[in-house]
Amino acid sequence: MVMLKKLLLALCIGSFSLSACAAESGAAPVVAPTITPAAVQMVQQAIKGLSANIQVDSIDPAPMPGFYQVIAGGQMVYVSTDGKYLMHGDLIDLGKHQNLGDAAWSRFRKDELAKVPASQRIVFAPAHPKYTVTVFTDVNCGFCRALHEHVAEFNKAGIAVEYLAWPREGVTSTSGRPTPTYTEMVSVWCASDRKAAFTAAKEGHAPKAATCTNPVEDQFNLGLKLGVNGTPTIIGPDGSTLGGFVTPDQLLQALQKGS
């Protein structure tokens, strides 16, 4: 899949042009399918046919005729309007050199993250931030720890960092018991001074064991829903992903480019 993606992009982004990469000026306009209740039911049945446990989160007309663009189980797929076919992978506009799934993913992430209350985040922010990013993090992840070492520099650059919990081990082990990292992150989120406990955990100091009503499991599941598969995952104000470990300068440049 990675090699195919590189080959497709190379064909259109190379130093020479191919007529196949240009949109046909005389092409007929594409009529987008309507998202009716019947269409929603059809798509849900198609997805459930693969697995009864997959939740369909978003259904939109696809940028290509005859298909719906669907976000389900942290993946983007394309389901034909007759429910017979499903495609998984990147949809590339050869004329514009764009991945047509990116915009839909960004909108979906932005909308879902807006539902997370500020009180459930661990926030490191300057007095008047120019930008705010959301970071799904694990307190024991090496790159997550390296990123947090620069949090003061991020803030100095005008970037607020809002952390959400994403224990890479998951919430429970195969035995059904809570994983060590999940338990540790619950203790951080339940600490009287969450920011201090969070920073200490990033430095390798386990927090004092604590339990309370906490959002750690919900945030882990939200990450899965948004396609998170590793930490750190940085999401910009518009819902786009901005990478994993980045330096303050790299993150600032990415945010400036996207604004």
Side-chain angles (χ1 to χ4, degrees):
M1 179 62 72
V2 173
M3 182 60 68
L4 177 59
K5 184 187 299 183
K6 290 181 178 179
L7 288 172
L8 287 172
L9 292 177
L11 285 173
C12 294
I13 302 176
S15 58
F16 57 94
S17 64
L18 296 175
S19 59
C21 293
E24 290 187 37
S25 59
V30 174
V31 178
T34 304
I35 308 299
T36 63
V40 171
Q41 183 178 14
M42 181 276 295
V43 170
Q44 290 176 336
Q45 288 177 343
I47 298 298
K48 296 293 184 183
L50 297 176
S51 171
N53 297 322
I54 299 177
Q55 176 68 39
V56 175
D57 295 308
S58 173
I59 304 172
D60 291 299
M64 61 181 173
F67 282 83
Y68 296 108
Q69 189 177 61
V70 181
I71 295 177
Q75 301 289 325
M76 178 172 287
V77 297
Y78 298 90
V79 177
S80 62
T81 52
D82 59 8
K84 293 182 178 180
Y85 305 101
L86 180 148
M87 297 190 300
H88 177 258
D90 294 333
L91 178 61
I92 306 298
D93 184 317
L94 297 178
K96 297 180 179 179
H97 304 166
Q98 291 180 353
N99 184 334
L100 297 181
D102 287 347
W105 262 126
S106 293
R107 289 193 301 270
F108 181 67
R109 294 190 195 99
K110 181 179 180 180
D111 291 344
E112 292 300 312
L113 288 173
K115 300 174 185 178
V116 180
S119 61
Q120 294 183 0
R121 307 166 184 247
I122 295 181
V123 179
F124 292 81
H128 303 288
K130 298 177 182 177
Y131 305 100
T132 299
V133 298
T134 300
V135 181
F136 283 90
T137 193
D138 178 312
V139 293
N140 293 314
C141 151
F143 284 114
C144 299
R145 290 180 171 183
L147 184 77
H148 190 64
E149 289 177 3
H150 296 283
V151 72
E153 297 172 62
F154 288 121
N155 291 170
K156 187 177 180 180
I159 304 169
V161 180
E162 299 189 349
Y163 285 111
L164 298 183
W166 207 79
R168 293 173 303 155
E169 297 176 341
V171 173
T172 57
S173 65
T174 54
S175 65
R177 299 176 61 84
T179 64
T181 300
Y182 168 76
T183 300
E184 186 171 346
M185 296 190 79
V186 166
S187 295
V188 167
W189 256 257
C190 291
S192 57
D193 186 339
R194 289 192 296 182
K195 289 176 67 175
F198 182 86
T199 296
K202 292 286 190 179
E203 295 172 347
H205 306 295
K208 180 180 179 181
T211 58
C212 66
T213 301
N214 67 85
V216 174
E217 183 172 359
D218 288 342
Q219 291 179 5
F220 176 77
N221 289 331
L222 174 61
L224 293 177
K225 186 176 180 179
L226 301 187
V228 173
N229 57 18
T231 54
T233 293
I234 304 173
I235 300 176
D238 63 350
S240 62
T241 55
L242 301 176
F245 172 78
V246 293
T247 66
D249 285 343
Q250 289 171 331
L251 182 56
L252 183 59
Q253 289 175 13
L255 289 167
Q256 291 172 336
K257 182 178 179 181
S259 61

